[in-house]
Amino acid sequence: VRTKSAVLFRLSNRVLQINFFDHTKIVLSDMGKTITYINQKREMTTFDLVEFLLGGAPREGISRLKYSRDVLMHLYIRRRDTKGSKDENVVPANAMADQRGPR
C-alpha cells in the first residue's frame, strides 16, 4: 500500500515494514511486539513495544509509529466495511493518498 508519506509491505513471514519517503523505516515483527526503527542515517535500533512507547525511541519514531497505526486502522475499517466483495484483499494504490503524513 502506498500513502502520501510511506509504502507499507506485509511480508510472507507476517512482518510489516513501513518505508517512509524521508528514508526512515519501521519494522513490526512478533505480532507488533517488536519494533525496529531505522533513522535517516540508516542506524537501526530494535525495541520491544513497551520500551519503544515509554521513551526508548526517538520522537520521530513515535510519530511514525502513530502514523502507521492510523493507516492500518484505516485499512482495517475499509476491509471490514467492504467484506463480502469479490476481492477484499485488493487495496488500490491511491486508497490512502488523502492520509496526512507523520508529524
Side-chain angles (χ1 to χ4, degrees):
V1 175
R2 182 183 175 100
T3 71
K4 193 174 188 177
S5 300
V7 177
L8 289 78
F9 301 93
R10 181 171 176 233
L11 307 175
S12 61
N13 62 357
R14 301 184 62 92
V15 167
L16 183 67
Q17 180 174 330
I18 303 100
N19 295 346
F20 292 90
F21 296 134
D22 68 355
H23 301 288
T24 59
K25 296 174 178 46
I26 293 233
V27 180
L28 303 170
S29 53
D30 191 26
M31 300 296 286
K33 296 176 188 170
T34 303
I35 300 171
T36 300
Y37 177 69
I38 303 169
N39 66 19
Q40 290 178 322
K41 297 177 185 177
R42 298 184 184 198
E43 299 166 333
M44 181 174 67
T45 312
T46 301
F47 306 88
D48 68 23
L49 178 60
V50 174
E51 177 186 12
F52 190 88
L53 295 174
L54 291 178
R59 184 179 307 160
E60 67 271 7
I62 300 274
S63 70
R64 281 158 182 76
L65 183 62
K66 287 179 182 178
Y67 176 77
S68 302
R69 177 203 60 201
D70 293 345
V71 170
L72 292 170
M73 284 302 299
H74 178 82
L75 291 173
Y76 171 77
I77 290 167
R78 180 184 171 110
R79 182 175 180 195
R80 181 196 66 197
D81 291 349
T82 60
K83 201 160 182 105
S85 66
K86 289 184 179 182
D87 196 354
E88 63 189 39
N89 293 319
V90 173
V91 177
N94 65 351
M96 297 300 302
D98 61 340
Q99 288 288 322
R100 292 181 294 160
R103 297 172 195 179

